[in-house]
């Protein structure tokens, strides 16, 4: 009788190809087939669009104005993807492939780090745990710079893990990952990675050696081009914009004196991690508990735990907090969870396995049910309810979407039965990853046209364009957000003159953003409303276009 296939057996080619296929099935859906969505995708695409239109990659520009919140690595890379793939895809889809590129790097280097820390059998488990994390699912497919930041952190952590064996190569990876993180979101990545690299030899004896110091020197040299070229070019272009980026959007945003971003709840990440980092967090806690007598003397655990605690401390100290910012914490948690999988108690592994199969299977079934209801009109009450939520959606069968969703469902059923030959504990992690991937594939195929109908600004801007007078000088705007300004430029080629930054501007048209519950009156007796609109199904935002009476 043949031995059952072991998921953690590195000689098993079938499991390697299964993992590669699963990663592709997780990464690819959602990258194409929909418009830029509010809020983060829309304004990110506006910055990318400016690079494509102007060729200027030094000063990030949104809606005709400098936007110095983040360095431009993601935007530059996305512009290159746009140039390469726009012959076959809409421009916004071509640029969104950048997210898939950076997420592939993040998964690759996280798997390499898991293999380096715990042995060849655990790299795959680390990747399965990571793609199974609930918090990564949506954010890991959006057109946002945080995916590049995640890739930089994964590369840097791999460099730290490799330093015990090949310090020169490890230094290159650490420095490059730090540089990618810096060029993605500024000082936060060098700060966290640098603090982690310095704390390890200060706190733990194992990391104190001559090679480690040479390793840090190599890492510094490798990071230097990333840390200096763009900031120098920005400063030479405009010292004022450099100050706005460095002082206001880095230090000011973190310390709070710039009054940017949402106000911070310093317990925010403690509150969200139980669901955001599921299932990595509970398995990581089990790893610590199960090896509590010896694990803190292991350099592998010292690295992953120190990295996580530094991230948690730095993010919690920041003056603003969003669940988006917690993405990097999933990396050390997944790495710390990997060795705990094989030691899970029988009941815990079985609970995770059945929870994954039943929960994600049920959610997938619900998606299929509601898709059938919309297409067929039965049950009528459910179909009508969904169409009321998205009045801009016209039910149609997309043959390709249907085929992909059906194949994914059949593949999930096959893997669920095939996995019964695997040991119980790895099987639970596999079913968790495949279950969440199935839900995502169905959401980004069957439900994608319905979602896109309500999240896109395209129909609203087209409606506004039709109301524009044949002749007008310029359009000013009031309270108009960054996503809306970006989409106005993309869909209509309109750059508004914001009243917040253009004092005394006299345009003959005025676009106002407000709330549907508190409609804006005309800004003065000389203005007449000529258009009112909103995104289909959006009950909060409302827009008004006013025309000035001729003098």
């Amino acid at each position: 009788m043949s031995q059952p296939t072991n998921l953690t057996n590195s000689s098993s080619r079938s499991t390697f190809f299964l993992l590669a296929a699963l990663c592709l099935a997780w990464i690819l859906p959602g990258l194409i087939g929909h418009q830029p969505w509010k809020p983060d995708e829309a304004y990110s695409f506006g910055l990318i669009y400016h690079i494509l239109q102007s060729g200027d990659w030094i000063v990030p520009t949104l809606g005709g104005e400098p936007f110095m919140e983040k360095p431009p690595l993601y935007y530059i890379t996305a512009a290159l993807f746009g140039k390469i793939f726009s012959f076959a895809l809409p421009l916004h889809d071509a640029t969104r492939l950048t997210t898939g590129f950076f997420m592939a790097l993040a998964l690759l280097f996280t798997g390499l780090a898991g293999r380096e820390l715990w042995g060849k059998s655990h790299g795959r488990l680390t990747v399965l745990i990571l793609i199974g994390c609930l918090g990564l699912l949506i954010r890991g497919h959006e057109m946002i710079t945080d995916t590049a930041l995640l890739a930089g952190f994964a590369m840097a952590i791999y460099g730290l893990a490799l330093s015990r064996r090949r310090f020169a190569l490890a230094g290159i990876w650490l420095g490059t990952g730090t540089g990618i993180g810096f060029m993605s979101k500024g000082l936060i990545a060098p700060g966290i990675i640098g603090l982690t690299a310095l704390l390890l030899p200060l706190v733990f004896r194992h990391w104190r050696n001559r090679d480690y110091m040479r390793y840090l020197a190599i890492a510094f040299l490798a990071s230097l081009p990333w840390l200096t070229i763009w900031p120098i070019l920005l400063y030479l272009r405009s010292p004022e914009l450099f100050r706005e980026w460095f002082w206001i959007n880095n230090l000011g945003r973190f310390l709070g004196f710039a009054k940017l971003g949402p106000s911070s709840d310093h317990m925010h990440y403690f509150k969200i991690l139980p669901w955001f980092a599921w299932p990595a967090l509970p398995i990581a806690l089990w790893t610590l508990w199960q090896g509590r007598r010896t694990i803190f003397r292991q350099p592998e655990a010292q690295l992953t735990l120190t990295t996580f605690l530094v991230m948690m401390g730095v993010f919690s100290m920041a003056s603003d907090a969003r669940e988006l910012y917690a993405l990097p914490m999933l990396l050390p948690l997944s790495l710390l969870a990997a060795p705990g999988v094989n030691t899970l108690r029988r009941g815990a592994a079985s609970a995770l396995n059945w929870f994954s199969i039943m929960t994600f299977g049920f959610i997938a079934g619900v998606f299929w049910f509601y898709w059938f209801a919309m297409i067929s009109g039965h049950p009528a009450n459910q179909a009508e309810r969904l169409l009321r939520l998205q009045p801009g959606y016209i039910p149609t069968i997309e043959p390709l979407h249907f085929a992909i969703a059906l194949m994914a469902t059949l593949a999930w059923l096959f893997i669920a039965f095939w996995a019964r030959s695997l040991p119980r504990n790895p099987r639970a992690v596999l079913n968790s990853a495949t279950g969440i991937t199935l839900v995502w594939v169905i959401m980004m195929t069957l439900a994608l046209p319905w979602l896109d109908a309500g999240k896109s600004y395209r129909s609203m801007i087209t409606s506004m364009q039709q109301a524009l007078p044949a002749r007008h000088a310029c359009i000013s705007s009031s309270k108009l957000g960054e996503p809306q300004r970006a989409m106005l430029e993309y869909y209509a080629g309109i750059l508004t003159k914001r009243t917040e930054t253009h004092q005394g501007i006299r345009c003959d048209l005025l676009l106002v953003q407000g709330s549907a519950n508190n409609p804006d009156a005309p800004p003065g007796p000389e203005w007449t409303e000529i258009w009112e609109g909103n995104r289909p199904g959006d009950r909060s935002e409302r827009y008004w276009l006013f025309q000035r009476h001729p003098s």
Side-chain angles (χ1 to χ4, degrees):
M1 188 178 195
S2 61
Q3 293 295 321
T5 305
N6 189 337
L7 184 63
T8 60
N9 185 351
S10 61
S11 65
S12 173
R13 290 187 178 183
S14 61
T15 56
F16 172 79
F17 287 115
L18 171 63
L19 179 61
L22 181 60
C23 288
L24 286 175
W26 187 92
I27 290 173
L28 293 178
L31 296 184
I32 62 174
H34 65 86
Q35 304 295 319
W37 287 348
K38 180 195 172 184
D40 298 301
E41 278 206 335
Y43 87 79
S44 294
F45 181 75
L47 295 161
I48 298 164
Y49 189 68
H50 169 77
I51 296 175
L52 287 166
Q53 295 295 104
S54 68
D56 181 8
W57 56 271
I58 296 176
V59 178
T61 302
L62 176 67
E65 298 180 12
F67 185 78
M68 303 310 302
E69 187 174 301
K70 303 176 182 74
L73 175 64
Y74 183 92
Y75 311 131
I76 295 170
T77 310
L80 291 175
F81 271 83
K83 284 183 176 291
I84 295 170
F85 295 104
S86 59
F87 75 95
L89 295 170
L91 185 58
H92 51 269
D93 282 345
T95 56
R96 198 185 289 109
L97 295 177
T98 310
T99 291
F101 169 71
F102 281 118
M103 285 308 306
L105 288 180
L107 295 180
L108 171 64
F109 281 96
T110 302
L112 291 174
R115 185 179 69 174
E116 188 66 33
L117 289 173
W118 309 108
K120 292 183 179 180
S121 62
H122 290 87
R124 299 172 190 177
L125 283 177
T126 304
V127 174
L128 288 174
I129 294 168
L130 181 59
I131 65 177
C133 288
L134 296 178
L136 187 63
L137 185 62
I138 295 176
R139 295 301 192 177
H141 295 87
E142 290 184 327
M143 194 190 313
I144 53 176
T145 60
D146 298 79
T147 56
L149 176 69
L150 198 69
F153 269 118
M155 195 176 293
I157 292 172
Y158 174 60
L160 286 165
L162 190 62
S163 65
R164 298 183 299 147
R165 192 166 58 87
R166 300 180 64 184
F167 73 89
L169 180 61
I172 294 173
W173 287 124
L174 177 65
T176 304
T178 303
I180 289 174
F182 169 77
M183 283 296 294
S184 301
K185 291 202 71 172
L187 298 178
I188 192 71
I192 288 175
I193 295 167
L195 185 57
T196 301
L198 292 176
L199 279 176
L200 286 171
L202 287 176
V203 177
F204 303 109
R205 181 169 55 86
H206 172 85
W207 299 87
R208 299 173 201 151
N209 56 70
R210 184 177 300 177
D211 282 348
Y212 189 79
M213 300 308 297
R214 288 189 287 178
Y215 154 73
L216 291 184
I218 293 171
F220 175 74
L221 293 175
S223 68
L224 209 54
W226 299 91
L227 301 177
T228 56
I229 292 176
W230 176 75
I232 290 173
L233 292 175
L234 177 63
Y235 184 82
L236 293 175
R237 173 78 68 86
S238 171
E240 293 77 16
L241 291 178
F242 176 86
R243 177 185 175 277
E244 181 182 343
W245 163 73
F246 181 81
W247 185 253
I248 297 176
N249 279 291
N250 275 275
L251 300 178
R253 184 179 291 272
F254 182 83
L255 298 175
F257 62 79
K259 306 298 182 184
L260 298 173
S263 59
S264 174
D265 172 6
H266 295 294
M267 297 298 293
H268 177 74
Y269 301 106
F270 289 93
K271 296 175 182 177
I272 69 166
L273 276 182
W275 70 263
F276 190 86
W278 175 274
L281 179 61
I283 303 177
L285 292 174
W286 168 253
T287 301
L288 294 177
W289 173 257
Q290 189 267 341
R292 59 191 179 279
R293 291 187 175 86
T294 60
I295 197 168
F296 296 104
R297 296 193 292 271
Q298 299 176 16
E300 299 85 0
Q302 293 166 359
L303 168 59
T304 51
L305 191 58
T306 301
T307 305
F308 171 74
L309 292 177
V310 170
M311 286 180 177
M312 174 65 84
V314 170
F315 291 140
S316 297
M317 288 169 54
S319 65
D320 62 334
R322 292 179 65 189
E323 48 83 20
L324 173 62
Y325 303 157
L327 284 178
M329 287 190 275
L330 298 178
L331 301 177
L333 284 176
S334 297
L335 288 166
L336 190 57
V341 170
N342 288 325
T343 61
L344 281 175
R345 297 284 176 83
R346 178 188 182 97
S350 297
L352 175 61
N353 184 55
W354 283 108
F355 172 83
S356 302
I357 292 175
M358 300 303 292
T359 300
F360 295 127
F362 174 76
I363 295 173
V366 169
F367 273 112
W368 276 106
F369 170 78
Y370 280 113
W371 174 82
F372 179 80
M374 282 192 297
I375 296 301
S376 67
H378 301 287
N381 60 335
Q382 299 298 332
E384 292 170 2
R385 179 185 177 192
L386 290 171
L387 294 177
R388 280 198 305 270
L389 291 174
Q390 298 287 30
Y393 172 67
I394 300 174
T396 54
I397 296 179
E398 300 280 350
L400 181 60
H401 288 179
F402 173 79
I404 293 173
L406 182 61
M407 289 173 58
T409 305
L410 295 176
W412 175 74
L413 291 171
F414 171 78
I415 292 173
F417 280 102
W418 172 81
R420 297 170 65 185
S421 64
L422 299 177
R424 181 190 315 106
N425 294 18
R427 184 195 340 165
V429 175
L430 175 64
N431 282 330
S432 175
T434 56
I436 200 169
T437 302
L438 171 66
V439 169
W440 181 249
V441 171
I442 293 178
M443 186 187 302
M444 291 296 104
T445 51
L446 299 183
L448 184 60
W450 183 83
L451 291 169
D452 195 39
K455 287 182 170 291
S456 170
Y457 285 96
R458 187 167 195 166
S459 61
M460 184 199 81
I461 292 174
T462 300
S463 171
M464 190 199 78
Q465 270 189 293
Q466 294 170 351
L468 290 175
R471 302 181 64 181
H472 61 274
C474 65
I475 303 177
S476 58
S477 63
S478 175
K479 306 175 187 176
L480 197 62
E482 295 151 357
Q484 294 80 8
R485 289 163 53 210
M487 292 298 96
L488 272 172
E489 182 180 10
Y490 178 47
Y491 292 130
I494 295 174
L495 296 175
T496 65
K497 307 291 185 181
R498 292 198 299 144
T499 57
E500 294 86 352
T501 57
H502 293 76
Q503 300 297 326
I505 187 74
R506 283 186 62 85
C507 292
D508 47 1
L509 296 176
L510 172 65
L511 179 62
V512 178
Q513 178 178 343
S515 169
N517 298 325
N518 298 294
D520 276 33
E526 73 275 20
W527 294 96
T528 300
E529 180 185 314
I530 61 173
W531 174 83
E532 178 182 349
N534 63 311
R535 288 183 302 164
D538 190 335
R539 294 172 176 80
S540 57
E541 293 177 0
R542 200 77 181 169
Y543 303 86
W544 296 267
L545 183 65
F546 298 98
Q547 184 175 22
R548 189 191 300 271
H549 298 303
S551 301

